[in-house]
Amino acid sequence: IVVVIQQQPQQQQQQEQQQKDGDATTPDDDETTPAATTTAPSAMDEEAAIVTEAINELINETDTLRDIASASRAKAEREQKEREDAEEWRKNIDVTALQNQLLRIAASTDRGQYANSMEKEEVLRLVESLEATATEIAPHKPPSSSDDTTTPLLPPQLTGTWSLLYSTTQLFRSSPFFLAGRSTCRTPDQVKQYDWFCDMHRAALAISNI
């Protein structure tokens, strides 16, 4: 009996010591809990930052698209205004007067052979003015084959007999022979060589006028 009585306090002390040890470990477990809770706000903040950045990029893209649309609309309005101004100018210009001025210069300079720099600049200005008054020619589709005899080779605006009135180069270069020769040039050096040939040809025939 004595032994049993002596062992019971020892077991009780062991149990109390284990309970104390368990209580001593409890604060450590409690200390780990806040650590787990502190990671959650950082992850949420990171997600919020990503969402905010995406929203800002979307806003910037929207502003860019709005600017592009405004620029396109302004460009279209400007082009429309230019077309209207050109049409109004075309209605007021005297085409016959421009043609007569061009014909006078062509006749007085032997179709441009003896035109000086001022006369050449005036002819260029007259031609540009006449081009601005011309109506747009519809695209012409040539015959698809040699058997097609119904489709004209040239559009109606170009069909007819033409007379050379003015040229900025030697007049003989408008002949089919010299035009064919010029079409064979493929490089700048070939063009220069062909120009030299034409100059020599004109110098050899300087005793006559075309």
Side-chain angles (χ1 to χ4, degrees):
I1 296 174
V2 174
V3 175
V4 173
I5 292 173
Q6 290 178 349
Q7 288 179 348
Q8 284 180 350
Q10 185 177 3
Q11 292 178 353
Q12 185 176 0
Q13 290 178 359
Q14 291 178 353
Q15 291 177 356
E16 291 176 356
Q17 184 64 32
Q18 291 178 355
Q19 185 176 1
K20 290 181 180 180
D21 294 338
D23 295 337
T25 59
T26 302
D28 294 336
D29 295 340
D30 294 336
E31 290 178 358
T32 58
T33 303
T37 57
T38 55
T39 57
S42 62
M44 294 178 60
D45 293 341
E46 184 177 356
E47 292 179 358
I50 295 175
V51 172
T52 302
E53 183 178 358
I55 293 175
N56 292 333
E57 291 180 357
L58 182 60
I59 293 174
N60 293 334
E61 292 178 358
T62 303
D63 294 339
T64 303
L65 292 175
R66 186 181 297 108
D67 294 339
I68 293 174
S70 300
S72 300
R73 184 166 54 255
K75 181 180 179 181
E77 294 175 354
R78 183 171 61 255
E79 291 177 350
Q80 179 64 23
K81 183 65 168 54
E82 291 176 354
R83 286 193 295 268
E84 293 176 355
D85 293 343
E87 183 65 24
E88 185 67 22
W89 176 84
R90 190 180 294 112
K91 292 178 181 179
N92 297 330
I93 196 170
D94 190 350
V95 176
T96 303
L98 294 176
Q99 292 174 342
N100 290 336
Q101 295 179 43
L102 182 58
L103 291 174
R104 281 195 294 269
I105 296 176
S108 62
T109 60
D110 194 9
R111 292 178 288 183
Q113 291 189 97
Y114 304 109
N116 55 37
S117 59
M118 292 183 60
E119 290 170 331
K120 291 179 180 179
E121 291 178 359
E122 179 64 13
V123 169
L124 180 61
R125 184 189 67 82
L126 294 172
V127 170
E128 291 177 349
S129 298
L130 289 172
E131 288 178 343
T133 62
T135 57
E136 184 177 355
I137 299 177
H140 176 69
K141 184 178 181 180
S144 58
S145 63
S146 58
D147 298 333
D148 186 3
T149 58
T150 59
T151 304
L153 294 175
L154 296 174
Q157 294 86 349
L158 301 179
T159 303
T161 302
W162 292 81
S163 298
L164 179 62
L165 298 179
Y166 183 89
S167 177
T168 56
T169 61
Q170 295 99 336
L171 299 181
F172 62 85
R173 296 182 66 167
S174 63
S175 68
F177 173 80
F178 287 95
L179 288 175
R182 176 61 178 82
S183 64
T184 61
C185 300
R186 293 291 182 268
T187 64
D189 291 338
Q190 292 177 349
V191 172
K192 291 181 180 179
Q193 186 177 4
Y194 185 76
D195 290 340
W196 175 86
F197 167 76
C198 291
D199 292 338
M200 294 299 102
H201 175 76
R202 185 69 187 97
L205 302 177
I207 59 174
S208 62
N209 289 330
I210 300 175

